[in-house]
Amino acid sequence: MMKSHNRHQRTNSARKAFKKEIRDSIRGAASGFLFGIPLLYTMEVWWIGSYAEPLQMLIALLTNFVVVFLLIRTEGFRGTVDTKMRDALMDSIETLAIGFVCTALILVLLREISLTTSINEAVGKIIFESVPFSLGVAVANSFLSGDRNQNGNEQTSSSSQSKNTEINATLADMGATSIGALFIAFTIAPTEEVPMLAAAMTPPWLLATIAASLLISYGIVFVAGLTNQDKRHQQTGLFHQPITETLIAYIVSLMAGLLMLWFFHQLSFEDPWTVWLSHAIVLGLPATIGGAAGRIVV
């Protein structure tokens, strides 16, 4: 009987540890997207990665590792204090791995890495583009963890709900989404990357980009445990069901992206609707991430 009880305790402990590891990884990936997505729309970095020599890649990789290691030693990837050397090394490797995976997935989605891409070019792009992703992962707990404001949220949630009507909460969220999306879209819309990427996108890849935008946005706001997440689950605005809010926020981000594309003369009313749609979807990915960032800080 005692052995069965101990086995049950070990199973529960292992399950909790696994869930915590998954949550830490998701939070790190979400923070990485917030930091790294603008650089992924920079063709100069694509070119640097494409033509980098192995020695240059190694130097970039080691430099990135050292910076990530110092950040983790300062705060801890998992929010712990006085991280041991061995744990810091392991967390640094995990941080780089998360950055590499996120970067590779987005580059594949944007068609910058395909089956025809050479190994040397693909590795170079991933290494150079993953630098801000890795830094974002490393500071996820210290900069964006929801735990640091949890008590304050618990104390003010009831008063906030009593003061704000559902429509006010909804407008606040949509306004925050618009500001975040416009901020990111403003930096990318004037460049030639959006038309270039949109021209290479076929309908299946556009659908995949939509799915990725929705999934990343949902993960940042409702799964990753970032700042004020508990407060968001308690709000009662018109669109505060997670799935509905994610869809509405995506539409708002698309509109913000289209506005910036039109503002910078990347689109005109003479262009066919298919061009508007493809451009909106391509820019909608970073704009949606910016919109999610706006919502988690309101």
Coordinates of all heavy atoms in Angstrom, one line a residue, residues 33 105-106 109 201-220 243 246-247 250 254 280-282 284-286 288-289:
F33 N 8.9 35.5 -29.7 CA 8.1 36.1 -30.8 C 8.0 37.6 -30.7 O 8.1 38.3 -31.6 CB 6.7 35.4 -30.9 CG 6.8 34.1 -31.6 CD1 6.4 32.9 -31.0 CD2 7.1 34.0 -33.0 CE1 6.5 31.7 -31.6 CE2 7.1 32.8 -33.6 CZ 6.8 31.7 -33.0
L105 N 10.7 27.7 -37.9 CA 9.3 27.6 -38.3 C 8.8 28.8 -39.0 O 8.1 28.6 -40.0 CB 8.4 27.3 -37.0 CG 8.6 25.9 -36.3 CD1 7.8 25.9 -35.1 CD2 8.2 24.8 -37.3
I106 N 9.1 30.0 -38.5 CA 8.7 31.2 -39.2 C 9.3 31.3 -40.6 O 8.7 31.8 -41.6 CB 8.9 32.4 -38.3 CG1 8.1 32.3 -37.0 CG2 8.5 33.7 -39.1 CD1 6.6 32.2 -37.3
L109 N 7.6 29.1 -42.9 CA 6.3 29.7 -43.2 C 6.4 30.8 -44.2 O 5.5 31.0 -45.1 CB 5.7 30.2 -41.9 CG 4.2 30.6 -42.0 CD1 3.3 29.4 -42.3 CD2 3.7 31.2 -40.7
M201 N 3.8 33.6 -51.9 CA 2.8 32.9 -51.1 C 1.7 32.3 -52.0 O 1.0 33.0 -52.7 CB 2.2 33.8 -50.0 CG 3.1 34.1 -48.9 SD 3.2 32.7 -47.7 CE 4.1 33.6 -46.4
T202 N 1.5 31.0 -51.9 CA 0.4 30.3 -52.6 C -0.8 30.2 -51.5 O -0.5 30.4 -50.3 CB 0.8 29.0 -53.1 OG1 1.2 28.2 -51.9 CG2 1.9 29.0 -54.1
P203 N -2.0 30.0 -52.0 CA -3.1 29.9 -51.0 C -2.9 29.0 -49.8 O -3.2 29.4 -48.7 CB -4.3 29.4 -51.9 CG -4.0 30.0 -53.2 CD -2.5 29.9 -53.4
P204 N -2.3 27.8 -50.0 CA -2.1 27.0 -48.8 C -1.1 27.6 -47.8 O -1.4 27.5 -46.6 CB -1.5 25.7 -49.4 CG -2.0 25.6 -50.8 CD -2.0 27.0 -51.2
W205 N -0.1 28.3 -48.3 CA 0.8 29.0 -47.4 C 0.2 30.2 -46.7 O 0.5 30.5 -45.5 CB 2.1 29.4 -48.1 CG 3.0 28.2 -48.4 CD1 3.1 27.6 -49.6 CD2 3.8 27.5 -47.5 NE1 4.0 26.5 -49.5 CE2 4.4 26.4 -48.2 CE3 4.0 27.6 -46.1 CZ2 5.3 25.5 -47.6 CZ3 4.9 26.7 -45.5 CH2 5.5 25.7 -46.2
L206 N -0.7 30.9 -47.4 CA -1.5 32.0 -46.8 C -2.4 31.5 -45.7 O -2.5 32.1 -44.6 CB -2.3 32.7 -47.9 CG -1.5 33.5 -48.9 CD1 -2.5 34.1 -50.0 CD2 -0.7 34.7 -48.2
L207 N -3.0 30.3 -45.9 CA -3.9 29.7 -44.9 C -3.0 29.3 -43.7 O -3.4 29.5 -42.5 CB -4.6 28.5 -45.4 CG -5.7 28.8 -46.4 CD1 -6.3 27.5 -47.0 CD2 -6.8 29.7 -45.8
A208 N -1.8 28.8 -43.9 CA -0.9 28.4 -42.9 C -0.5 29.6 -42.1 O -0.3 29.5 -40.8 CB 0.3 27.6 -43.4
T209 N -0.3 30.7 -42.7 CA 0.1 31.9 -42.1 C -1.0 32.4 -41.2 O -0.7 32.9 -40.1 CB 0.5 33.0 -43.1 OG1 1.5 32.5 -43.9 CG2 1.0 34.3 -42.4
I210 N -2.2 32.4 -41.7 CA -3.4 32.8 -40.8 C -3.4 31.9 -39.6 O -3.6 32.4 -38.5 CB -4.7 32.6 -41.6 CG1 -4.7 33.6 -42.8 CG2 -5.9 32.8 -40.7 CD1 -5.9 33.5 -43.7
A211 N -3.3 30.6 -39.8 CA -3.4 29.7 -38.6 C -2.3 29.9 -37.6 O -2.5 30.0 -36.4 CB -3.3 28.2 -39.1
A212 N -1.0 30.2 -38.1 CA 0.1 30.5 -37.2 C -0.2 31.8 -36.5 O 0.1 31.9 -35.3 CB 1.4 30.6 -38.0
S213 N -0.7 32.8 -37.2 CA -1.0 34.1 -36.5 C -2.0 33.9 -35.4 O -1.7 34.5 -34.3 CB -1.5 35.1 -37.5 OG -0.6 35.3 -38.6
L214 N -3.0 33.2 -35.6 CA -4.0 33.0 -34.6 C -3.5 32.1 -33.4 O -3.7 32.5 -32.2 CB -5.2 32.2 -35.2 CG -6.1 33.0 -36.2 CD1 -7.1 32.1 -36.9 CD2 -6.8 34.2 -35.5
L215 N -2.7 31.1 -33.7 CA -2.1 30.3 -32.7 C -1.1 31.0 -31.8 O -1.2 30.9 -30.6 CB -1.5 29.0 -33.3 CG -0.9 28.0 -32.4 CD1 -2.0 27.4 -31.6 CD2 -0.2 26.9 -33.2
I216 N -0.3 31.8 -32.4 CA 0.7 32.5 -31.6 C 0.0 33.6 -30.8 O 0.4 33.8 -29.6 CB 1.8 33.2 -32.6 CG1 2.6 32.1 -33.3 CG2 2.7 34.1 -31.8 CD1 3.5 32.6 -34.4
S217 N -0.9 34.3 -31.4 CA -1.7 35.3 -30.6 C -2.4 34.7 -29.4 O -2.3 35.2 -28.3 CB -2.7 36.0 -31.5 OG -3.5 36.9 -30.8
Y218 N -3.0 33.6 -29.6 CA -3.7 32.9 -28.5 C -2.7 32.5 -27.4 O -3.0 32.6 -26.2 CB -4.5 31.7 -29.1 CG -5.2 30.9 -28.0 CD1 -6.5 31.3 -27.7 CD2 -4.7 29.8 -27.4 CE1 -7.3 30.6 -26.7 CE2 -5.4 29.1 -26.4 CZ -6.7 29.5 -26.1 OH -7.3 28.8 -25.1
G219 N -1.6 31.9 -27.9 CA -0.6 31.4 -26.9 C 0.0 32.6 -26.1 O 0.2 32.4 -24.9
I220 N 0.2 33.7 -26.7 CA 0.8 34.9 -26.0 C -0.1 35.4 -24.9 O 0.3 35.6 -23.8 CB 1.2 36.0 -27.0 CG1 2.4 35.6 -27.8 CG2 1.5 37.3 -26.2 CD1 2.7 36.6 -28.9
I243 N -11.3 32.4 -27.7 CA -11.3 32.1 -29.1 C -11.9 33.3 -29.9 O -11.3 33.8 -30.9 CB -12.2 30.9 -29.4 CG1 -11.6 29.6 -28.7 CG2 -12.3 30.6 -30.9 CD1 -10.2 29.3 -29.2
T246 N -9.5 36.3 -29.8 CA -8.4 36.0 -30.7 C -8.8 36.3 -32.2 O -8.0 36.9 -32.9 CB -7.8 34.6 -30.6 OG1 -7.5 34.4 -29.2 CG2 -6.6 34.3 -31.5
L247 N -9.9 35.9 -32.6 CA -10.4 36.1 -33.9 C -10.6 37.6 -34.2 O -10.2 38.1 -35.2 CB -11.7 35.3 -34.2 CG -11.5 33.8 -34.2 CD1 -12.9 33.1 -34.3 CD2 -10.7 33.4 -35.4
Y250 N -7.4 39.5 -34.4 CA -6.7 39.2 -35.6 C -7.3 40.1 -36.8 O -6.5 40.7 -37.6 CB -6.9 37.8 -36.0 CG -6.2 37.4 -37.3 CD1 -4.8 37.5 -37.5 CD2 -6.9 36.9 -38.4 CE1 -4.2 37.2 -38.6 CE2 -6.3 36.6 -39.6 CZ -4.9 36.7 -39.7 OH -4.2 36.4 -40.9
L254 N -5.3 42.9 -38.9 CA -5.2 42.9 -40.3 C -5.6 44.3 -40.9 O -5.0 44.8 -41.8 CB -6.2 41.9 -40.9 CG -5.8 40.4 -40.8 CD1 -6.9 39.6 -41.4 CD2 -4.5 40.1 -41.5
A280 N -2.1 41.7 -46.7 CA -2.6 41.8 -45.3 C -2.3 40.6 -44.5 O -1.9 40.7 -43.3 CB -4.1 42.0 -45.4
I281 N -2.3 39.4 -45.1 CA -2.0 38.2 -44.3 C -0.6 38.1 -44.0 O -0.2 37.7 -42.9 CB -2.5 36.9 -45.1 CG1 -4.0 36.9 -45.3 CG2 -1.9 35.7 -44.5 CD1 -4.5 35.8 -46.2
V282 N 0.3 38.5 -44.9 CA 1.7 38.5 -44.6 C 2.1 39.5 -43.5 O 2.8 39.1 -42.6 CB 2.5 38.8 -45.9 CG1 4.0 39.0 -45.6 CG2 2.4 37.6 -46.9
G284 N 0.0 40.7 -41.5 CA -0.8 40.4 -40.3 C -0.2 39.5 -39.3 O -0.5 39.6 -38.1
L285 N 0.8 38.7 -39.7 CA 1.5 37.9 -38.7 C 2.3 38.7 -37.6 O 2.0 38.6 -36.4 CB 2.5 36.9 -39.4 CG 3.4 36.1 -38.5 CD1 2.5 35.2 -37.6 CD2 4.3 35.2 -39.3
P286 N 3.2 39.6 -38.0 CA 3.8 40.4 -37.0 C 2.8 41.4 -36.4 O 3.0 41.8 -35.2 CB 4.9 41.2 -37.8 CG 4.5 41.1 -39.2 CD 3.8 39.8 -39.4
T288 N -0.3 41.0 -35.7 CA -1.1 40.2 -34.7 C -0.3 40.0 -33.4 O -0.8 40.1 -32.3 CB -1.5 38.9 -35.2 OG1 -2.3 39.1 -36.4 CG2 -2.4 38.1 -34.2
I289 N 1.0 39.7 -33.6 CA 1.9 39.6 -32.4 C 2.0 40.9 -31.7 O 2.0 41.0 -30.4 CB 3.3 39.1 -32.8 CG1 3.1 37.6 -33.4 CG2 4.3 39.1 -31.7 CD1 4.4 37.1 -34.0

